[in-house]
Amino acid sequence: MPMTRRTLLASAGAAAALPRTLSAAEDGLPMSAPVSVGKVGLWARDAERLADWYADRVGLRRMGGEGNVIAMGNGRDVLLEITEDSALNIAPPTQAGLYHTAFLLPSRRDLARWVLFAMDRQFPVDGVADHLVSEAIYLTDPEGNGVEIYADRPASDWVWTGGSVEMASNPIDFENLLATAGPAPIPWESAPEGTVVGHVHLKVGDASVAGDWWQTQMGFDEVRARQGAVFLSTGGYHHHIAVNQWQSAGASIRPEGFTGLAYVELQSRAAPDVVAVRDAWGTEIRVTSL
């Protein structure tokens, strides 16, 4: 659906008005956690087309790259690396791999500015949600990779019960959100320097098995579980990694020769060297030192 004021306000329903808030990034999360997401690598049939899309829709900037690789980021840090191989096949949605890359904006005001920009350009979006811990807009890039653009609520507003964080998928109060942009909002031109990959959501064949692997092998904490999905983090963030089997239940190891996820790079405050491991579905997880 195209993003317009009418469609956004219609989706808001009876959502309660939200106070103006700071983002979790400004509170020191998620990047201050012991382990966080650094960047994501994608395999693409047409890297130029994807790079143009991420520049246009997400606001990422080209930050170099060599040969068949295009690096994109916030002007300071590389957040996305796109590697081209024109012989690749487009990955089917039932295959294990990437569900979405979630780009965290520095503030709720930044999200409002992006929404105004998207409304003006009438971008097609897949969905919107108030997750209680954050507000999110969902898109799909030209090769079928999911993208989330979101802003966090303050960590002090998150509700924890017995180690589990409360989350939901409620309508967004867009009137309240857009009011944070002010009467003369600064036009959106590109992603602010503080934009990061806040979390990555993966498709797996068995969410319970994947959740156990992230805990036992990677040292993450389970912070929420729902039917067919597990959410995990370090340092008390609402989630750095999520795994689900909603489209990919029973999927086996991902074969070579397809577009989609190349790797997820984590940043650790303790890891002394670069480490690379693979989960049961062939997803490469790299760990680098901060």
Side-chain angles (χ1 to χ4, degrees):
M1 58 180 176
M3 179 163 278
T4 65
R5 183 176 293 272
R6 176 174 295 179
T7 57
L8 291 187
L9 295 183
S11 72
L18 303 176
R20 178 179 171 186
T21 66
L22 298 175
S23 72
E26 291 170 322
D27 285 342
L29 294 169
M31 307 310 289
S32 63
V35 181
S36 58
V37 181
K39 63 183 176 182
V40 170
L42 296 178
W43 285 107
R45 294 182 64 177
D46 189 336
E48 286 289 338
R49 184 186 184 200
L50 275 197
D52 287 345
W53 188 90
Y54 280 93
D56 183 52
R57 304 297 172 92
V58 184
L60 300 186
R61 289 167 256 181
R62 295 195 184 212
M63 297 181 62
E66 297 181 359
N68 62 339
V69 179
I70 300 175
M72 306 198 70
N74 57 21
R76 182 189 64 190
D77 302 312
V78 173
L79 306 179
L80 186 69
E81 219 172 45
I82 306 170
T83 302
E84 180 175 297
D85 182 345
S86 60
L88 295 174
N89 297 304
I90 298 295
T94 54
Q95 196 175 90
L98 182 67
Y99 190 67
H100 63 240
T101 304
F103 296 96
L104 173 62
L105 301 181
S107 71
R108 193 169 184 243
R109 176 175 289 183
D110 290 316
L111 181 62
R113 290 173 53 235
W114 182 88
V115 168
L116 289 169
F117 170 71
M119 288 164 53
D120 182 63
R121 298 283 296 278
Q122 296 193 33
F123 288 161
V125 300
D126 299 330
V128 303
D130 175 353
H131 292 306
L132 303 182
V133 295
S134 63
E135 294 165 290
I137 316 292
Y138 296 93
L139 306 88
T140 302
D141 77 18
E143 295 197 358
N145 301 295
V147 173
E148 176 181 341
I149 298 175
Y150 77 112
D152 274 330
R153 304 274 182 78
S156 58
D157 289 350
W158 305 346
V159 177
W160 294 83
T161 303
S164 178
V165 66
E166 183 177 346
M167 296 175 66
S169 292
N170 297 330
I172 290 177
D173 183 343
F174 278 102
E175 288 184 305
N176 183 273
L177 173 62
L178 296 179
T180 66
I186 300 172
W188 176 274
E189 295 182 353
S190 61
E193 188 173 286
T195 300
V196 299
V197 179
H199 66 269
V200 177
H201 203 141
L202 302 173
K203 293 186 293 183
V204 298
D206 187 316
S208 178
V209 170
D212 288 344
W213 183 85
W214 277 95
Q215 292 175 76
T216 59
Q217 300 300 313
M218 303 303 292
F220 278 58
D221 301 314
E222 179 182 309
V223 293
R224 184 170 178 82
R226 52 176 290 197
Q227 187 173 10
V230 180
F231 299 80
L232 307 110
S233 77
T234 72
Y237 190 55
H238 57 71
H239 68 295
H240 291 103
I241 295 291
V243 293
N244 80 65
Q245 61 186 54
W246 299 328
Q247 298 173 325
S248 54
S252 58
I253 188 168
R254 188 168 68 252
E256 295 183 359
F258 286 90
T259 60
L261 186 63
Y263 65 85
V264 176
E265 184 175 288
L266 305 177
Q267 297 177 328
S268 172
R269 297 185 180 279
D273 301 300
V274 176
V275 177
V277 294
R278 292 183 182 271
D279 69 9
W281 297 274
T283 296
E284 181 177 351
I285 310 299
R286 301 176 181 177
V287 185
T288 62
S289 298
L290 278 171

